[in-house]
Amino acid sequence: MIIAANLKTNFTRKKTKEYINELEQFLDGNSVSEDVLVFPTSSSLDSYDGKVVVGAQNSYPTQNGAFTGEIGLEQLEEFGIKTILIGHSERRHVLGESQEFIAEKFDFFKSHGFKIVYCVGEPLEIREAGKEIMMDYISNQYEGIDVDYENLVIAYEPVWAIGTGLTPTLEDIADIHKNLKDISKAPLLYGGSVKVANAKDVLSIDNVDGILVGSAALKVNDFISMIKFADELDK
Ligand code: 13P
């Protein structure tokens, strides 16, 4: 399975290094077959050559150029970064990225062979509007996206579950994941208020191929516990 930590706008470069080193120590001392991904903040990216796959939370779809405040491929290549998060709800809803721009980013990083963790998920008012409207909304987030891309991982993250402590029921996650697998056969992660207390249940659900964890991953021991759960389940 894929166990991923989105560190968002947390940790300094030094603290990120300590965090990744602790994960490496755990992975070195235990024969774990899970894929462990960590997405540090842009200024904490660095060269890491252990088992942890380090990815970017964001990048502008350019080699380099005049895009003030952004980083591009040149800055990722410096550290050998080949993994990126695209379409995260905070980039869609807080930073205002359109589906068109997200699809452009997707194409750019696909053309450079990146592993893309592509996020989809509905806000609360859409969820409350009923299943059909919700699935339509999520389907639109696949517009312009190559769902057969070989290096694609999808993360279903309901917006209302991110950072709120709320999660869909296990039955709802199972139902939505089953529907999303009809759109793409890519590995499908669940994200949104995953923590030690619910990770095992979430990981046990059919069609859940891993988790994308935000706040609960900031404690490295909690994140390690979640990796252990995945390993015990041996899916
Ligand atoms: P939380 O785990 O803090 O809800 O965040 C989830 C998320 O956005 C991961 O990308």
Side-chain angles (χ1 to χ4, degrees), residues 145-165:
I145 302 302
D146 176 3
V147 295
D148 298 319
Y149 176 44
E150 71 221 17
N151 245 336
L152 173 63
V153 174
I154 292 172
Y156 169 60
E157 300 203 302
V159 181
W160 53 273
I162 296 177
T164 58

Side-chain angles (χ1 to χ4, degrees), residues 6 8 85 88 90 157 161-164 191-194 212-216:
N6 177 3
K8 306 194 179 182
L85 268 184
H88 190 276
E90 283 142 22
E157 300 203 302
I162 296 177
T164 58
S193 294
V194 177
L212 177 55
V213 190
S215 34

Side-chain angles (χ1 to χ4, degrees), residues 58-60 62 64-72 75 91:
N58 180 46
S59 168
Y60 205 79
T62 185
N64 51 32
F67 303 97
T68 302
E70 295 287 316
I71 60 169
Q75 288 74 35
R91 300 227 46 103

